[in-house]
Amino acid sequence: MTDVTPLPAPLPSGATIGILGGGQLGRMLSVAASRLGFKTCVFEPGGDCPASHVANAHVQAGYDDVEALKTFAQSVDVVTYEFENVPTSALDLIESIVPIRPNRKALAVSQDRLSEKAFLSGLGLTVAPFAAVDDAVDLAEAIAEIGTPAILKTRRFGYDGKGQARIMSPDDAPQALADMAGASAVLEGFVSFTHEVSVIAARGQAGDISCFDPGENVHINGILHTTTVPARLSPAQRTDAVLLAAKILNALDYVGVMGVELFVTPQGLVVNEVAPRVHNSGHWTQNGCVIDQFEQHIRAVVGWPLGDGTRHSNVEMLNLIGDDVDRMPEFAKNSAVAIHLYGKADAKPGRKMGHVNTVLGPAS
Amino acid sequence: MTDVTPLPAPLPSGATIGILGGGQLGRMLSVAASRLGFKTCVFEPGGDCPASHVANAHVQAGYDDVEALKTFAQSVDVVTYEFENVPTSALDLIESIVPIRPNRKALAVSQDRLSEKAFLSGLGLTVAPFAAVDDAVDLAEAIAEIGTPAILKTRRFGYDGKGQARIMSPDDAPQALADMAGASAVLEGFVSFTHEVSVIAARGQAGDISCFDPGENVHINGILHTTTVPARLSPAQRTDAVLLAAKILNALDYVGVMGVELFVTPQGLVVNEVAPRVHNSGHWTQNGCVIDQFEQHIRAVVGWPLGDGTRHSNVEMLNLIGDDVDRMPEFAKNSAVAIHLYGKADAKPGRKMGHVNTVLGPAS
């Protein structure tokens, strides 16, 4: 006989799911949880946050507020998160009281671009050439090794193109290093790719894996603009994308939904980055599938079997950034458009206000 | 030039929708409202009600609490309802402060089976033979006119088969009348029908109408058991069903979603009853259409254009009554099943705990 760790019992409907972060991802996770009869409690320092509008409870406190973190952790049956930069001390405290899913390993890997690249290449997956950069000497060596053009990125806390500087020639190195403001960084070589796709992959507590069809992403100014399904991929590439995502999930003993961004190159798929959470490039699933990425994540986190991620429709997801949201009357009139707004009061430039899923027709 | 009453401006995303009633319909309306960026405030006497879990605010007070009704009405931009038996005095008070949609005419008609039958037959639609019954003399005359078998129903406050008594022969009359407990009643003749369908129809503020595909209903013990789309209907019956629903909506200058139950007979469609709200037999739309009945209702109520009600899938909706909800592990494992639970704590017999939509395949 071998030792087998028994699976934790699935949470019964009616249990409470704690969500770290109260933005739009927390909001849509909360709605998905309600469909399955779960209650949600959101932990978020900001008031009137998108998730608080639909959650049962909102603990409004900072991530350094030990008492609030305890109260939160004691009031819920499991904790998940909508962003990967939750402070370690907060996670330690919460985990002493209630399980966190996806697990800490996934967070640790994805919180740091260097760990992430090392982990992915350790799995035998192709990533952009990379090197750690802490100072001008490191950067000079990295440029000598990787060449230009290249891109310098902070190891931590980067998102939507922030904390990045392009190095088109070695002359750009000093400015790029200055842009990092003393933060540890990674130099990444440019990958010559034809387009970017992402796989939204889920793994349940029993190790079952279900991947949504890959979507094709277009970014503008470093922010996701559209995701379209189906993506332009050969059958072999499609299989590669799914197997690769499964490999990552299994290696992390992951539970929940993960977003895996891939560059499509003539030499094959290159992993750009992973996000240990529901992902903007998976929003199309709300109108393309019976079970969307948010419900899939909740099912995994509570220990239920994963749902059916089969795609029934072709969809284009368009992010509404800043005053894009003023186009709402036009979208509302288009009967093929499903609207998803986040309840944010002010349409600041660069702010994700909502998205629309245009159903292009039956799945092809 | 003719006088044209200008349409009220559509409510902007971010406005607050008041919902009278905090059950599962209010819950699913609230979720749909959140998708469009609206906030919701639920008025419901009961605590920990299904809608309160997902609404922004819950005014917990009775329908005779004038101050609470005022506070509620003043905190919202429009009011809608999840059930038709809202007391008139509460509606009067609310309407003095904020618009109610659908309008009072629809409520007045549907709150009273006699008014409803008279209204429908006045439109030239076929209904079961009916007669008002206030006492034994009325009942004897009604039986003489309509014959048996027939069914005696209270004029008001009946739902899910409650407040009804079958009269198989004139001998059953005294017991049936006693069952009404002194309430005004209507005797309805039996309609010999092959099956029941319902049309979930929506009308926007501009008078635009959109109907979902009719669903076929099976009841058990007077409670809806399943709704299946597509329903067994000839193309002509399908057209009749939709035109008939549109006629009702237009006659009421209706704004919102209405459920219209129809008997299918060899002689044509007979209107059983109408409900001026989202309807249990429309729950399949959540997994059969891009825009479901809840979002359609919200769009109408806030003055947005209606969405696309086109069906993309064949679906069977199954109500989970009482301990049916214990079958959840089985449903969760079936990858074609979408689960919708209402967050009710106790699975009492006869209580609607949730429903599951089984996606049977692409629309046919």
Side-chain angles (χ1 to χ4, degrees):
Chain A
M1 266 182 71
T2 53
D3 275 354
V4 175
T5 310
L7 288 175
L11 286 183
S13 180
T16 301
I17 300 167
I19 301 173
L20 297 169
Q24 62 268 18
L25 300 181
R27 178 182 176 96
M28 293 184 278
L29 283 170
S30 195
V31 163
S34 81
R35 274 206 301 273
L36 303 183
F38 293 101
K39 295 180 178 176
T40 52
C41 177
V42 170
F43 191 98
E44 161 67 46
D48 192 34
C49 61
S52 71
H53 301 174
V54 293
N56 265 67
H58 172 200
V59 177
Q60 189 183 345
Y63 285 102
D64 55 355
D65 185 333
V66 170
E67 284 312 308
L69 286 166
K70 270 190 197 165
T71 304
F72 167 76
Q74 284 162 354
S75 72
V76 301
D77 298 292
V78 66
V79 168
T80 189
Y81 43 88
E82 62 148 24
F83 72 120
E84 52 270 47
N85 291 319
V86 182
T88 302
S89 59
L91 294 168
D92 287 342
L93 197 154
I94 292 167
E95 206 168 31
S96 70
I97 299 170
V98 67
I100 299 178
R101 296 177 191 141
N103 64 33
R104 298 289 295 276
K105 198 167 159 189
L107 270 177
V109 160
S110 65
Q111 279 181 343
D112 182 334
R113 287 186 200 278
L114 187 64
S115 309
E116 184 178 294
K117 300 269 179 213
F119 165 73
L120 294 168
S121 55
L123 286 181
L125 304 177
T126 309
V127 297
F130 67 98
V133 171
D134 283 324
D135 54 33
V137 174
D138 289 346
L139 182 52
E141 287 178 3
I143 291 176
E145 182 192 329
I146 292 171
T148 55
I151 187 157
L152 192 64
K153 299 179 177 180
T154 55
R155 282 174 58 171
R156 297 173 64 92
F157 302 118
Y159 68 98
D160 285 348
K162 288 172 188 165
Q164 304 195 358
R166 289 192 180 208
I167 299 180
M168 301 309 288
S169 80
D171 296 343
D172 296 337
Q175 182 58 50
L177 198 62
D179 286 352
M180 299 298 107
S184 292
V186 174
L187 187 73
E188 290 181 19
F190 260 45
V191 174
S192 175
F193 59 93
T194 53
H195 52 295
E196 188 202 286
V197 300
S198 54
V199 178
I200 306 299
R203 186 169 178 275
Q205 287 182 27
D208 45 324
I209 285 180
S210 174
C211 293
F212 292 102
D213 218 359
E216 183 168 335
N217 303 328
V218 174
H219 291 81
I220 293 183
N221 297 331
I223 302 179
L224 185 65
H225 177 58
T226 57
T227 301
T228 308
V229 281
R232 287 171 296 157
L233 289 174
S234 68
Q237 286 171 326
R238 215 169 282 274
T239 306
D240 282 353
V242 167
L243 290 178
L244 172 165
K247 196 168 193 175
I248 297 171
L249 294 175
N250 283 330
L252 292 168
D253 194 20
Y254 193 85
V255 169
V257 161
M258 171 178 275
V260 182
E261 291 184 4
L262 302 169
F263 295 133
V264 182
T265 81
Q267 291 75 42
L269 301 173
V270 175
V271 185
N272 179 28
E273 62 180 34
V274 301
R277 52 169 168 80
V278 289
H279 196 257
N280 194 165
S281 67
H283 291 359
W284 66 266
T285 59
Q286 294 173 312
N287 297 96
C289 306
V290 171
I291 308 290
D292 66 20
Q293 67 164 346
F294 302 100
E295 178 169 336
Q296 199 69 298
H297 186 76
I298 296 294
R299 280 172 171 249
V301 162
V302 300
W304 284 26
L306 298 180
D308 187 352
T310 304
R311 185 167 60 81
H312 57 64
S313 295
N314 291 352
V315 181
E316 182 196 81
M317 188 286 305
L318 169 70
N319 266 338
L320 304 178
I321 312 288
D323 56 16
D324 286 349
V325 78
D326 296 342
R327 291 174 60 196
M328 204 43 56
E330 163 204 340
F331 293 127
K333 272 181 206 152
N334 182 338
S335 66
V337 169
I339 294 169
H340 300 268
L341 298 178
Y342 307 150
K344 296 182 184 176
D346 303 315
K348 294 180 194 154
R351 196 174 199 198
K352 290 178 179 171
M353 301 299 293
H355 64 275
V356 291
N357 288 329
T358 302
V359 177
L360 306 171
S364 64
Chain B
M1 266 184 75
T2 53
D3 275 353
V4 175
T5 311
L7 288 174
L11 286 183
S13 179
T16 303
I17 301 167
I19 301 173
L20 297 169
Q24 62 267 21
L25 300 181
R27 178 181 175 97
M28 293 183 279
L29 284 170
S30 195
V31 163
S34 81
R35 273 205 302 272
L36 303 182
F38 293 101
K39 296 179 178 177
T40 52
C41 176
V42 170
F43 191 98
E44 162 68 46
D48 192 34
C49 61
S52 71
H53 300 174
V54 292
N56 265 65
H58 172 199
V59 177
Q60 188 182 347
Y63 285 102
D64 55 355
D65 185 333
V66 170
E67 284 311 309
L69 286 166
K70 269 190 196 164
T71 304
F72 168 75
Q74 284 162 353
S75 72
V76 301
D77 299 292
V78 66
V79 167
T80 189
Y81 42 88
E82 62 147 23
F83 72 120
E84 51 270 47
N85 291 318
V86 183
T88 302
S89 59
L91 294 167
D92 287 342
L93 196 154
I94 291 167
E95 206 170 30
S96 71
I97 299 170
V98 67
I100 299 178
R101 295 176 190 141
N103 63 31
R104 298 290 293 275
K105 198 169 161 189
L107 271 177
V109 159
S110 64
Q111 278 180 343
D112 182 332
R113 287 186 199 278
L114 187 64
S115 309
E116 183 178 295
K117 300 268 178 214
F119 164 73
L120 294 168
S121 56
L123 287 180
L125 304 177
T126 309
V127 298
F130 68 98
V133 171
D134 283 324
D135 55 32
V137 176
D138 288 346
L139 182 53
E141 288 178 4
I143 290 175
E145 183 192 328
I146 292 172
T148 55
I151 187 157
L152 192 63
K153 299 179 176 178
T154 55
R155 281 174 57 172
R156 297 174 63 91
F157 302 118
Y159 69 96
D160 286 348
K162 288 173 188 167
Q164 304 196 358
R166 289 193 180 207
I167 299 180
M168 300 310 287
S169 81
D171 296 345
D172 297 337
Q175 182 58 50
L177 197 63
D179 287 351
M180 300 297 107
S184 292
V186 174
L187 186 72
E188 291 181 18
F190 260 45
V191 174
S192 176
F193 59 92
T194 53
H195 52 295
E196 189 202 285
V197 300
S198 54
V199 179
I200 306 300
R203 186 169 178 274
Q205 287 182 27
D208 45 325
I209 285 180
S210 175
C211 293
F212 292 101
D213 218 0
E216 183 169 335
N217 302 328
V218 173
H219 291 81
I220 292 183
N221 297 331
I223 302 179
L224 185 64
H225 176 58
T226 57
T227 300
T228 308
V229 282
R232 287 170 297 157
L233 288 174
S234 68
Q237 286 171 326
R238 216 168 281 273
T239 307
D240 281 354
V242 167
L243 290 177
L244 171 165
K247 196 168 194 175
I248 297 171
L249 294 175
N250 283 331
L252 292 169
D253 194 21
Y254 194 85
V255 169
V257 161
M258 173 178 273
V260 182
E261 290 184 4
L262 303 169
F263 296 133
V264 182
T265 81
Q267 292 75 42
L269 301 173
V270 175
V271 185
N272 178 29
E273 62 179 35
V274 301
R277 52 170 169 78
V278 288
H279 197 257
N280 195 166
S281 67
H283 290 359
W284 66 267
T285 59
Q286 294 172 311
N287 297 97
C289 305
V290 171
I291 308 290
D292 66 21
Q293 67 164 345
F294 302 99
E295 179 168 336
Q296 200 70 299
H297 186 75
I298 296 294
R299 280 172 170 249
V301 161
V302 299
W304 284 26
L306 298 180
D308 186 353
T310 304
R311 185 166 61 82
H312 57 64
S313 296
N314 291 351
V315 181
E316 182 195 81
M317 188 285 307
L318 170 71
N319 266 338
L320 304 179
I321 312 289
D323 55 17
D324 286 349
V325 79
D326 295 342
R327 291 173 60 196
M328 203 45 54
E330 163 204 341
F331 293 127
K333 272 181 207 152
N334 183 336
S335 65
V337 168
I339 295 169
H340 300 268
L341 298 179
Y342 307 150
K344 296 180 185 177
D346 303 316
K348 294 180 194 155
R351 195 174 200 199
K352 290 179 180 171
M353 300 301 293
H355 65 275
V356 290
N357 288 329
T358 303
V359 177
L360 306 171
S364 65

